[in-house]
Amino acid sequence: MGAGHTHKLYRHGHSPIHALPPHCKLAATFAFVLVVVSTPREAMWAFGLYALLLAAVTAVARIPAAFVLRRLLIEVPFVAFAVLMPFVAEGERVEVLGTSLSVSGLWGAWNVLAKGTLGVAASVLLASTTELRALLLGLQRLKLPPLLVQIASFMIRYGDVIGGELRRMSIARRSRGFEARGIRHWGVLAKTAGALFIRSYERGERVYLAMVSRGYSGSMPVIDDVAATRAQWAYAAVLPLAALVVCLMGWTL
């Protein structure tokens, strides 16, 4: 499979988390997020325990906390949406520092922030300890439809290529004295987007023909498939099982 290059999200290491097969980590992360989403929002203490579980995984993986926190900034748009919910939601109101806020909106904001942050943090830890190429192999190992795996592989592999093409086009425009300063230049930017689409489409055709000429028949060869032992599956299951215990306590207490 392609996309063997290292991504910025990945942090090289030799921890027990890094050594786990990718499909074990994918399954564990998905199960953990599913448990978090299933937890009642009123069990606020449970989300604190989930955060402690992720902190423990971060420590075992030897990933700096600052590394994870910086990458949590990706959820800022969702945070902005959650902050607005207490102001726009209807229903019972409560006074907080002289401001009238919706009770259902406050609970909704807490629900989005808590579960969203934990889900993003789990995904960041997965990406930080697993190379992109290994993630794709893990998805294939978990029997995800091969076509989806191939699409993801090409997207990762050629995303940087297309980004580089766009940068070269931008440099070419600036070298000829063009600077986008207002709405009157939107036409030029639209033509740039059209040219980039055509170049990308043509590149895709050339890549496909090159693959067919080398024997491509609809599926990518797996060169270094990795099987997981029972011990590795048990080790990966510690996080979701611990989270499941917390979730069940949240429903019963």
Side-chain angles (χ1 to χ4, degrees):
M1 283 191 144
H5 59 289
T6 302
H7 197 271
K8 293 180 181 179
L9 284 176
Y10 177 70
R11 185 178 179 88
H12 182 72
H14 300 284
S15 71
I17 307 298
H18 286 80
L20 282 175
H23 47 291
C24 293
K25 288 185 278 189
L26 280 165
T29 302
F30 176 79
F32 173 79
V33 173
L34 186 62
V35 170
V36 170
V37 172
S38 302
T39 304
R41 63 187 184 183
E42 292 79 10
M44 302 177 69
W45 56 269
F47 298 101
L49 293 180
Y50 294 147
L52 290 178
L53 289 174
L54 290 181
V57 173
T58 303
V60 173
R62 294 192 284 275
I63 302 295
F67 182 89
V68 177
L69 292 175
R70 284 197 302 269
R71 278 145 185 81
L72 287 178
L73 294 177
I74 193 173
E75 68 164 344
V76 168
F78 300 98
V79 172
F81 169 75
V83 169
L84 292 176
M85 293 181 66
F87 297 94
V88 300
E90 299 180 352
E92 182 184 353
R93 314 294 292 188
V94 63
E95 292 288 332
V96 178
L97 299 177
T99 305
S100 177
L101 302 177
S102 167
V103 174
S104 61
L106 287 171
W107 278 115
W110 159 251
N111 196 46
V112 171
L113 286 175
K115 296 180 179 180
T117 300
L118 290 168
V120 172
S123 301
V124 168
L125 285 174
L126 174 64
S128 300
T129 57
T130 316
E131 293 183 347
L132 283 176
R133 181 173 178 273
L135 282 175
L136 294 173
L137 289 173
L139 291 173
Q140 184 167 315
R141 185 77 180 176
L142 292 174
K143 305 302 181 183
L144 196 74
L147 182 59
L148 294 181
V149 177
Q150 292 177 52
I151 291 174
S153 175
F154 289 129
M155 179 185 69
I156 294 170
R157 172 63 184 86
Y158 288 100
D160 292 338
V161 175
I162 295 174
E165 186 75 29
L166 181 60
R167 285 191 295 272
R168 288 191 291 273
M169 294 172 68
S170 177
I171 292 172
R173 289 199 310 267
R174 291 198 300 270
S175 67
R176 290 164 175 79
F178 175 80
E179 288 290 343
R181 295 189 178 90
I183 191 172
R184 66 180 183 278
H185 293 139
W186 285 7
V188 176
L189 298 178
K191 292 177 182 178
T192 299
L196 180 64
F197 173 80
I198 293 174
R199 292 186 184 186
S200 302
Y201 182 84
E202 291 177 344
R203 184 188 294 272
E205 289 291 317
R206 293 194 300 270
V207 170
Y208 175 73
L209 292 176
M211 292 171 60
V212 171
S213 68
R214 289 164 174 80
Y216 174 74
S217 59
S219 62
M220 300 293 287
V222 178
I223 300 174
D224 52 354
D225 193 14
V226 179
T229 64
R230 291 183 179 179
Q232 288 173 322
W233 275 112
Y235 189 71
V238 170
L239 176 65
L241 287 178
L244 180 60
V245 172
V246 175
C247 179
L248 293 176
M249 292 173 60
W251 280 106
T252 56
L253 294 180

